[in-house]
Amino acid sequence: MVDLDAAIGFVVAHGDAVDRARLSRLRTGAPVPADLLDAAEVGQVPGGGWPAVLDGEVASVDATCFRLAELDDLGALGRPAARRALDWLAASQLSAGGWDEDPSLAGLAPEWATPGDPEAQLYLTANAGFWLTVAGLDARAAGPLDHRVGGAYAGVVQAAAQALAAQLAPDGSWPSFLPAGWLAAAVLHRQQMYYESARIQAVLADRIPKMSPADVAWLAATLRRVEVGEEQWLLVSARNRLAETQRSDGGWDSDDGHQFDVHTTLRAIRACRPTTPEAPASGTVFLPPQPAALPNPPLPLPAQHAAPPPAAVPPPAAVPPPAAVPQAAGAPPAAASPPPNGATAGEELPLG
């Protein structure tokens, strides 16, 4: 079993003020000091998103999703900064239901966010669709009160789900980076597209034994955030993998260097903590969907769709810290954005 007490001790010993605030809220729901929230929101461009580089003027979809993930741990998705960012994401959706980075970022963007690249577009669509899904009920700046999944962004999220489902092969594989799979599965699950979500989850379950701890923590935290049942085979396998890979000091290895081990450990804590439902927005009524059924154990994939060997998967978002993140109080210096966990050129799951 995962030793959560040891993981908590690792974050307390090695994390900065923002890390410890994230830990405290994940454990107890304790409010985060306003100065830390302000530091986590720094650098937002006037249009609402966050840029791909420090002091940049062009918002990035990838960077904005990264920042929303941090703000989610801090309980700040209902604050004005996050609402503006969500509004910007919704307004940036393409007519076909997906997202792409601004062409002006072509010289700066990593491969998983390359403007005009279909694999990058699918990853960005899954990532943006995920955050609009989980945050919509708490962020109503973009439209009227709407109790559908996604809240004010219900129509945007529905279009994103259709765009993601259209890219799935019959065996559940997808033509993009590995993290696009669990992000898309979460979006589809909350849209009650359980069959499509379960197909993706079966592919992911087959890959769990060879995934890095950072990949597994991101996968499990993502699916638990949208209330996929923790008894599902995929999440049981993920917890087993995290138990196998937890270090003696309580932490887990990041795929981006030891300076990000605390971040990976916080994700693992979110993935493995006892069930604590997210507080709904005031006045809303939320009826969680039934979890998607997965085969137990997962059905084997046809040989031609087998996952590539782990050697093909280099160190990695979704959250390896993208380049887009301005430096917050106590945060490590900004650097070039590492790839989404498990991503590399050609590391897509083929369509058949």
Side-chain angles (χ1 to χ4, degrees), residues 81-109:
R83 293 184 181 189
R84 289 194 299 272
L86 291 161
D87 289 351
W88 174 77
L89 279 179
S92 301
Q93 187 178 38
L94 304 175
S95 59
W99 277 264
D100 196 2
E101 293 286 18
D102 190 286
S104 67
L105 298 177
L108 302 171

Side-chain angles (χ1 to χ4, degrees), residues 189 201 205 220 223-224 227-240 271 273 275 289-298:
H189 175 80
Q201 292 180 53
L223 294 179
R224 289 206 63 193
E227 300 182 345
V228 171
E230 55 187 309
E231 76 284 356
Q232 297 297 334
W233 174 259
L234 176 58
L235 291 181
V236 171
S237 298
R239 290 194 299 273
N240 290 339
R273 64 180 177 161
T275 301
Q290 295 301 310
L294 281 179
N296 186 358

Side-chain angles (χ1 to χ4, degrees), residues 50-143:
W50 278 275
V53 294
L54 290 175
D55 300 322
E57 298 180 355
V58 178
S60 159
V61 175
D62 184 48
T64 298
C65 290
F66 173 83
R67 191 62 65 88
L68 289 171
E70 183 177 60
L71 295 178
D72 186 35
D73 275 354
L74 295 171
L77 290 186
R79 282 169 56 95
R83 293 184 181 189
R84 289 194 299 272
L86 291 161
D87 289 351
W88 174 77
L89 279 179
S92 301
Q93 187 178 38
L94 304 175
S95 59
W99 277 264
D100 196 2
E101 293 286 18
D102 190 286
S104 67
L105 298 177
L108 302 171
E111 61 180 331
W112 66 90
T114 302
D117 180 72
E119 295 179 16
Q121 289 171 351
L122 185 58
Y123 165 70
L124 294 171
T125 298
N127 207 1
F130 173 76
W131 285 109
L132 289 165
T133 293
V134 300
L137 289 173
D138 293 329
R140 307 191 179 283

Side-chain angles (χ1 to χ4, degrees), residues 128-177:
F130 173 76
W131 285 109
L132 289 165
T133 293
V134 300
L137 289 173
D138 293 329
R140 307 191 179 283
L145 181 67
D146 191 328
H147 291 292
R148 295 176 296 169
V149 172
Y153 309 117
V156 174
V157 173
Q158 289 169 358
Q162 293 297 328
L164 293 168
Q167 293 293 312
L168 295 182
D171 68 352
S173 59
W174 57 96
S176 185
F177 302 98

Side-chain angles (χ1 to χ4, degrees), residues 184-196:
V187 173
L188 294 167
H189 175 80
R190 283 297 298 270
Q191 286 295 310
Q192 300 185 9
M193 299 172 72
Y194 299 130
Y195 174 67
E196 291 83 355

